[in-house]
Amino acid sequence: YHYPNLKTMKILKIAILKDDFDEILSGEKTEVYQDFIPFWEEQLLINDKEGVRFREYDAVELRNGFEGKVPTILIEWKGTELELFDEAPRGSKDPEDYYFVVNLGKIIETKNC
């Protein structure tokens, strides 16, 4: 697989906890979960005259922290999905019953790990 130039890549940025970061780095974990809240709707969805659809990315930048030189993984973006919480009723229209799943592929690069 050939990666586009890092400068022109569309990158989704997510700060995650150390346990999740370590599991993704080791390959144990291949997805990240985000709440269905306005911030993540804006990052992950496009809502225009054509309807609502998922935003496309080339990669996901996962950071363990917010300061400058924190451990960072740049990893292939493999799509985003909406999942229903187990206890939520089927076919629910309530956004609080859903969460986003960001699917991750191969690690492109790591920094400060």
Side-chain angles (χ1 to χ4, degrees):
Y1 177 78
H2 174 71
Y3 295 106
N5 181 326
L6 288 180
K7 287 182 173 60
T8 61
M9 288 177 87
K10 288 173 59 181
I11 298 173
L12 173 64
K13 297 181 180 200
I14 304 176
I16 61 174
L17 299 172
K18 182 161 178 30
D19 290 350
D20 291 334
F21 187 92
D22 291 344
E23 286 179 14
I24 290 164
L25 191 58
S26 74
E28 281 174 70
K29 188 173 182 155
T30 59
E31 44 194 31
V32 177
Y33 308 104
Q34 297 299 338
D35 292 331
F36 196 101
I37 58 174
F39 176 81
W40 288 111
E41 283 181 72
E42 198 174 296
Q43 302 300 308
L44 299 170
L45 297 176
I46 296 170
N47 187 356
D48 60 19
K49 62 184 184 303
E50 296 171 31
V52 179
R53 61 196 182 283
F54 291 109
R55 249 178 230 286
E56 301 269 324
Y57 289 94
D58 296 309
V60 181
E61 180 185 275
L62 301 169
R63 296 172 60 88
N64 179 225
F66 295 97
E67 301 305 315
K69 293 193 184 240
V70 298
T72 304
I73 301 171
L74 187 64
I75 194 165
E76 203 178 3
W77 174 81
K78 290 295 224 174
T80 306
E81 303 169 296
L82 263 183
E83 298 266 330
L84 194 59
F85 282 110
D86 288 343
E87 66 275 7
R90 255 206 187 124
S92 167
K93 300 280 187 246
D94 185 349
E96 289 185 9
D97 287 343
Y98 291 87
Y99 58 96
F100 290 105
V101 180
V102 178
N103 297 296
L104 308 170
K106 293 186 179 87
I107 292 175
I108 299 168
E109 71 177 27
T110 60
K111 289 182 191 157
N112 306 316
C113 292

